[in-house]
Amino acid sequence: MHSTRKRSAAMDSRMSRRDLVEMGGANAAAMALAVIANGGWPRLLSAQTLATASQSPGQLEDHFYRDDWLGEPWRQPAVAVLIHGAEESSTEWYGWVPSMAQAYRVIRPDLPGLGRSAVPSHFEFSHGNLAKYVVEVMDRAGVQAAHVVGAKTGGAIAMHLAADFPTRVHSLVVVGAPAATFKIENRSPIPQRDRLGSHASKEMVDYWNHLLQTANSRPESQAFGNPNADFDLAKEGVLQRIAAPTLVLTADQSKVHSVERVRAYQQLIPKSRLVVIRSDAYHIAAANAEECVTETLAFLRELSVS
């Protein structure tokens, strides 16, 4: 069964605040304007996306994903697949959807055991198997090939995907991602400060603490950390096999990996470039979402005219 469905056009006051958050910012804003204009919830809405699960939020699904398109409904957009990191879920891309989904159909999978995706029977956790899982999500979404974006561990998975399934990847964007096993140095008293940086507000830190607690609250999700225990994409030959044009984004003050370390692995990817974001966060896809989206869209626009 298809793991997502489009919400019916007829909606009423039973729609929750959580529903609005899961739509993405642009959808929520459009709906809010409709509410104001009509003096209440409209009977009919014409948003193009509103993709949610067919089950209640507490239930798990096979290969769950979110599907967003905020552009003109008559267009057939190219597709971008956004892969989240460990201990997270597809909701982490809230800062990307409003802009990305106006230019691309955005597919956001929940990786197995996280968010609302169940772990497939006999699934063995490895970066390669997780890349294959994302390809299976693409198949279910009817997507032959896409621009693939991965954050942190999602970036390592994305690099595997580009190497193992080259015909499925138009381009690759790697955001704050390691290419080998890493250890955080000088960990701060508040771990989220290392992830989100010193400029993150208390409200943002609280939100991410809650997101991580709810995304990986099930026992099976703990196995997700296994692939990160010992890996080196350079020694495994993964980086050298990536044929897609690649953008690597990193922070200049990350506690996970220095710019020099990222540049060393980026240079092993044949058609790649490195952009350094000014930040002391290592989850720059969240902490510096606007800059990362701007760089990503500029990179993709350049590819489209080249």
Side-chain angles (χ1 to χ4, degrees), residues 16-36:
S16 67
R17 180 175 298 178
R18 176 170 181 162
D19 290 325
L20 286 174
V21 171
E22 291 184 352
M23 286 180 198
N27 272 343
M31 180 169 287
L33 290 174
V35 171
I36 294 170

Side-chain angles (χ1 to χ4, degrees), residues 27 51 54 105 108 161 219 224 238 241 248 260:
N27 272 343
S54 58
R105 177 187 172 197
R108 296 180 286 155
L161 197 162
F224 196 95
V238 172
R241 292 190 291 114
V248 177
E260 290 72 22

Side-chain angles (χ1 to χ4, degrees), residues 80-247:
V81 174
L82 310 186
I83 308 173
H84 66 76
E87 302 182 334
E88 297 169 356
S89 75
S90 57
T91 58
E92 84 155 62
W93 297 103
Y94 60 84
W96 289 59
V97 171
S99 296
M100 285 290 293
Q102 293 182 61
Y104 298 90
R105 177 187 172 197
V106 176
I107 303 295
R108 296 180 286 155
D110 277 354
L111 295 174
L114 296 171
R116 293 167 67 173
S117 279
V119 179
S121 178
H122 307 299
F123 186 82
E124 294 185 10
F125 280 85
S126 69
H127 289 143
N129 284 340
L130 289 165
K132 182 178 179 182
Y133 177 94
V134 175
V135 170
E136 292 169 357
V137 171
M138 292 170 64
D139 290 341
R140 287 171 178 255
V143 175
Q144 178 58 37
H147 302 285
V148 176
V149 181
K152 303 191 325 303
T153 297
I157 296 167
M159 286 186 274
H160 251 287
L161 197 162
D164 296 345
F165 302 91
T167 62
R168 308 300 297 268
V169 179
H170 291 313
S171 70
L172 175 65
V173 179
V174 176
V175 190
T181 301
F182 62 92
K183 180 176 67 175
I184 300 174
E185 298 178 0
N186 304 319
R187 182 179 288 276
S188 70
I190 306 175
Q192 284 295 353
R193 290 296 181 191
D194 285 327
R195 292 168 56 86
L196 301 174
S198 59
H199 296 292
S201 66
K202 178 182 181 302
E203 291 78 11
M204 186 177 189
V205 169
D206 289 345
Y207 172 84
W208 276 90
N209 281 331
H210 176 72
L211 190 154
L212 266 64
Q213 290 167 5
T214 55
N216 65 342
S217 60
R218 303 184 303 278
E220 63 267 29
S221 68
Q222 303 309 311
F224 196 95
N226 295 344
N228 292 329
D230 185 19
F231 75 102
D232 189 321
L233 301 185
K235 290 182 179 179
E236 296 166 19
V238 172
L239 304 178
Q240 298 87 335
R241 292 190 291 114
I242 296 173
T246 300
L247 172 66

Side-chain angles (χ1 to χ4, degrees), residues 68-69 71-80 101-106:
D68 304 280
W69 167 237
E72 297 88 348
W74 55 86
R75 285 176 55 195
Q76 294 296 318
V79 180
Q102 293 182 61
Y104 298 90
R105 177 187 172 197
V106 176

Side-chain angles (χ1 to χ4, degrees), residues 268-281:
L268 296 176
I269 302 173
K271 295 183 288 186
S272 67
R273 70 178 66 169
L274 175 66
V275 171
V276 180
I277 302 291
R278 294 187 61 182
S279 178
D280 61 355

Side-chain angles (χ1 to χ4, degrees), residues 7 10-19 41 43:
R7 206 183 272 275
M11 298 184 181
D12 57 27
S13 59
R14 289 174 296 178
M15 175 169 282
S16 67
R17 180 175 298 178
R18 176 170 181 162
D19 290 325
W41 291 105
R43 294 295 298 173

